[in-house]
Amino acid sequence: MSAGPEAAALAPPPKPYRPRSDLTDWFLAQDPGLNRLRMALQVVVSIAAALLAERIFVQTTGALQHSTAGLPPAVAAQVDAGNHAMLVVSMMVGAMICMIASFGAPMFATVRQSYLVILAMPVPMIAGLAIGLAVAHHRTLALTLLAVILAGGAYLRRFGPWGFLGAQMLFMGDFMGFFLGAELPFSALKWLAPEVFLGAIVACLAQLVLFHPSQRRTLRRVRRSFGSRARALVDVALEVLDDPDDQRAAARLRQRTVHLNETALMIDAALAAPGALRDGGSAAYVHQFVFDAEQTLANMARFAGTLGRSGLSRGSRGLVRTSLMAVGDHDPQTARHAATRLIEELRDVAVRPPADENERNRRVIVHRFATSVLDWADLAETPLPPRQDGDTPEFRSSVQLMGGWLPGSAMASADASTELGPRPIDRVRLAPNVRIAIQMAVAVTAAIVLGSMLSERRFYWAVIAAFVTFMGANNAGEQIRKGIYRVLGTLVGVFVGAVLAHLVGHRADLAVLTVLIAIGLGIYLMRISYAFMVIGITVMVSQLYVQLGEFSDSLLRLRLEETAIGAAVTILTVVLILPIRSRQVVRVAARAHAEAVRTLADGALRNATGHCSNAELLAAARVLDAAHQTLVASLNPLRGIPGLASTIHRQLRSSAAASVHRARTMLHESRRIAASSAPGSGLDADAGRLDDARRRLSDSIGAIAEALTQDNDSSRYTYVRSASLFDEIATSRADADRITPAQLLLRDARLLDESMATFAEAVRLHVRALDTVTA
C-alpha cells in the first residue's frame, strides 16, 4: 500500500510509544468506579470511629471494668491489665461490626435495605454471643455448636444476602462468646449487647454521612473509569503496533479489552438503577452510546494489533499511530483526518487487484480500523440528547452485579452444582447452599479436631481458615487457590506482623494507626490477590495480641501452623467431598457462552434482511458479554496447570474472545446494512441462501451447547462448518471485489464459524467440513 506526501508528513519516525504517565488515569483504570478505594476507606473510617465510640462508651459507663481502689499495687496492676484487655475486646466488637457492615451493605438492591441490614446485624450476633457464653464451660458441646452454626449458616445462603449476613453474624457472636466465656460470666451480655448495637450505629452513621450510596455518583465514577480504561487500551494497542512480537503487550491488549468490557457492563447495571441519570437524561441512549464506544475502541485496538504484524508501509503505519494517539488524547478532528487519509489510500489502490490473500486481508483490516476510528470520532462529537417523550422511562439492563462487581463464576458454579458431573464422585446434584453446608461441616469438624491437637487454646485459627476459604469462592478450583493464598498471606504476614509488633510495642495509638493502615491496604489490594488481605489481618492480629499482653514470635508461628491445617483440610474436603470441579463450571460457562454467541450471530444475520430489532440485538450482545466474563472467570483456576487443563484454558479463552469479537462485528455490519438505503447494498437478493447459511451456523453452534449439557459425552457430537455457504454468497455477489458492509458481514460470519470450530475442538467435539457430511 503506497503512501502519499501528506501521509508521509503525518508519519512520525518509528520509535517505541511511551504510554502517558498520568497517575490519576492509571488509578481510575485500576479501580473501576473507585469501588476498591471506597470500600477500603469506608472500612478504615468506620473502624476508627467505632474504636473511638467504644472507648468512650467503656470509659463513661465502666462496662466490663473493675475498680482498683484499695487494692495492693501488684493486684491493681493485674486488674488494670484485665480492664485494658476488656477495653480492647469492646473496641474489637465495634470494629468487627463495622467491617462486616461495609462488606455486606453493597449486597442489597436498595439503599433502604442496606441501612436496615446494618441496624439488624446486632440481633443474630447477640444471639450468638448468648449461645457462646452459655456453653463456654462445656467444651465438647460448644465446639459441636460451633460446627453446627457454621454448617447451618452455609445452608442459610438460600435466603440470599439476609441469610448470608445473618449466619455470619451468628457465627461471629458464638465464636466470641465461646472464648470470652472463659473470662466473663453470662451476665456480661448486658454490656456486650450495647457495644454491639453501638458498633452498628457507628457503621450506619459512617455510611450515611460519608459513604451514602448514590446511584448518580456511582454512574459518574464508573464512566470516568471507562474513559481511563479506554485510554489504557489505546496505549497498549500502540505498543503492540510498534512491537508486534511482544507477547506480553499482546496479552495486556487482550486483558485490557476484557477490562473495558467489564466497565461497560458495570455502566449498564448502574443505568438500570432509579435516579442514576439527571432528569431529562436517557438511559437507553447512554446504553447505546457506551456500547458503540466500547465496540469501536475494542475493534480499533484489535485491528491495530493485527496491522502491526501485516507489513504496513511506513506512511500507513504513521497514519494508524496518529489515529490511535488522537483517540487516546480525545482529539476527534485529528483522528478523523488520519482515518480519512487511510480510506483515501485504499481508494487509490482499489483499482489494482490485491497481489495475494495477505494483501486482500490487509486492505480489509485497514478499512475496518479506519471506519472504527471514524465511528469513534462521530461518537466523540455527539452530545447527549435529552430524553424524548417517546423514550421508555425505565431501562432494563441485562447485567447483574454482586456487591458492585460482576458475579464472576458464581452463577455458573451454582448451575454446575445442580447438574451431573462426568465422574462418579461428581454425580450428586445438590443446591449450592446444601453442598457448601455439607462441605463446611466436614472441613470445620476436621479443623477443630486437628487444630485442637496442635493447640487446644488457639485451634480457632484453623477453624477461621476453613470458614473463610469458603467465602467468595464458588468451586473447588477457586477454593484451593484461596486456601493457598491464605497460607502464603499468613506466612508473609507473620514476618511483617512480628517486625511491626516489635517496632510499635505497647503504644496504643500507634498500634491503632498500624491496624488501620494494614486493613485499608489489605482491602484495597484484595481483588488483586486475596493474600494481601490475609497479610493485613495477620498484622492486625499481631497488634491485638501485643495490646492483650500475649504476643510472642512463637504465637505467630502457631498461627501459621493452624492456618495451614485449616487450609489443608478445606482443600482435601472440596476435592473429595461432593466437589464442584472447575472443569464442570467451565462446561456450564462454555455452554452459556455458545448459546449467547448463537443468539447474537443469528440475530445479526436476520437483521441484515430486516427481521430483528436493534433493542433485541443490543440485549443479546450484553448477554454475550456477561457470558464471556463468566467464562473468563471460570477458566482462571485452570491457568498455569500443566497438561490438558492448561491447553483447554488457552484454546477456549482465545477462541471465546475471537467469537465475541466476530459476533459483535457482525452486529455492527448488520446495523450498517439495515441503516443503508443505497441500492444493492443489502442482502435482500440473497435472503434465501443467507437464511440457509444462518440456520447451518446456528445448528452447529447449537450442537456445542447440546454437547455441553449435563450427562452428554461431547465427543459424540459434531460441529459442521458453514463457512463455505457464506463464502459462496460472497463470491457470487456483484460487490465481490469491493469492501462493503454486506461483504464484511459475510466475512465475519466465516471467521465466526472458524472461531467456533476451534471452540468446539477445545470442548472435544468433532469438526467436519460441510461437504463431508451426508444428508
Side-chain angles (χ1 to χ4, degrees), residues 94-135:
M96 187 182 302
I97 285 280
C98 287
M99 178 178 287
I100 297 175
S102 299
F103 282 109
M107 297 180 182
F108 293 85
T110 66
V111 175
R112 179 175 175 270
Q113 286 181 334
S114 67
Y115 285 114
L116 283 176
V117 75
I118 294 175
L119 295 175
M121 283 171 59
V123 176
M125 185 168 185
I126 292 171
L129 277 167
I131 295 172
L133 290 170
V135 301

Side-chain angles (χ1 to χ4, degrees), residues 115-402:
Y115 285 114
L116 283 176
V117 75
I118 294 175
L119 295 175
M121 283 171 59
V123 176
M125 185 168 185
I126 292 171
L129 277 167
I131 295 172
L133 290 170
V135 301
H137 297 288
H138 306 280
R139 183 178 176 85
T140 302
L141 176 60
L143 295 180
T144 301
L145 284 176
L146 189 66
V148 170
I149 287 173
L150 277 173
Y155 178 79
L156 290 177
R157 295 184 186 189
R158 65 174 299 190
F159 299 108
W162 285 99
F164 174 80
L165 284 177
Q168 194 171 3
M169 298 310 299
L170 183 66
F171 162 69
M172 290 297 181
D174 179 60
F175 177 79
M176 290 194 68
F178 172 68
F179 289 100
L180 291 177
E183 305 292 336
L184 297 175
F186 186 83
S187 60
L189 190 63
K190 68 181 180 182
W191 289 117
L192 292 172
E195 290 171 354
V196 171
F197 274 107
L198 179 60
I201 292 170
V202 169
C204 199
L205 289 175
Q207 177 159 304
L208 180 64
V209 175
L210 299 175
F211 302 98
H212 179 69
S214 167
Q215 300 298 341
R216 185 172 299 176
R217 289 197 295 268
T218 298
L219 178 60
R220 191 183 307 130
R221 289 194 304 270
V222 180
R223 290 175 69 178
R224 283 201 299 266
S225 294
F226 181 86
S228 297
R229 284 191 161 184
R231 287 185 286 275
L233 178 63
V234 172
D235 286 342
V236 76
L238 280 160
E239 292 182 36
V240 176
L241 177 70
D242 289 341
D243 187 3
D245 295 326
D246 187 345
Q247 296 301 314
R248 291 185 177 180
R252 286 199 303 275
L253 182 66
R254 292 190 294 269
Q255 184 184 53
R256 290 187 180 179
T257 303
V258 173
H259 286 172
L260 184 67
N261 178 253
E262 175 192 36
T263 315
L265 292 175
M266 292 172 70
I267 291 174
D268 255 26
L271 285 171
L277 288 173
R278 295 187 183 93
D279 293 341
S282 170
Y285 177 84
V286 175
H287 162 70
Q288 177 78 67
F289 181 91
V290 171
F291 180 89
D292 290 340
E294 182 216 342
Q295 175 144 336
T296 58
L297 289 162
N299 284 348
M300 72 174 72
R302 190 179 180 104
F303 293 139
T306 304
L307 288 172
R309 302 185 298 271
S310 67
L312 278 177
S313 68
R314 178 184 175 90
S316 298
R317 185 180 294 272
L319 288 170
V320 172
R321 292 186 85 257
T322 300
S323 301
L324 286 172
M325 293 178 72
V327 171
D329 294 332
H330 205 272
D331 182 359
Q333 291 184 349
T334 302
R336 185 188 301 281
H337 179 67
T340 301
R341 287 295 302 131
L342 283 171
I343 296 291
E344 290 173 355
E345 282 192 5
L346 286 175
R347 290 173 183 161
D348 292 341
V349 301
V351 296
R352 193 173 66 244
D356 52 28
E357 189 62 25
N358 288 336
E359 174 66 17
R360 184 190 302 275
N361 289 336
R362 184 160 56 245
R363 291 183 185 181
V364 171
I365 296 168
V366 169
H367 172 85
R368 304 196 85 158
F369 173 83
T371 54
S372 295
V373 174
L374 292 174
D375 288 342
W376 174 86
D378 290 339
L379 289 169
E381 295 174 339
T382 303
L384 179 67
R387 177 187 293 155
Q388 303 298 318
D389 292 339
D391 285 349
T392 304
E394 291 186 9
F395 168 74
R396 292 187 178 181
S397 174
S398 303
V399 183
Q400 185 177 5
L401 301 183
M402 296 179 65

Side-chain angles (χ1 to χ4, degrees), residues 5 47 138 186 199-200 232 257 274 276 402 453 529 531 547 584 593 596 598 616 625 628 632 696 703 720 756 771-772:
I47 287 179
H138 306 280
F186 186 83
T257 303
M402 296 179 65
M453 291 173 64
S529 174
Q547 295 302 312
Q584 290 175 255
H593 184 278
R598 179 188 188 187
E616 182 181 346
D625 291 339
H628 182 61
V632 169
R696 168 50 64 188
V720 180
M756 294 310 295
D771 56 6
T772 64

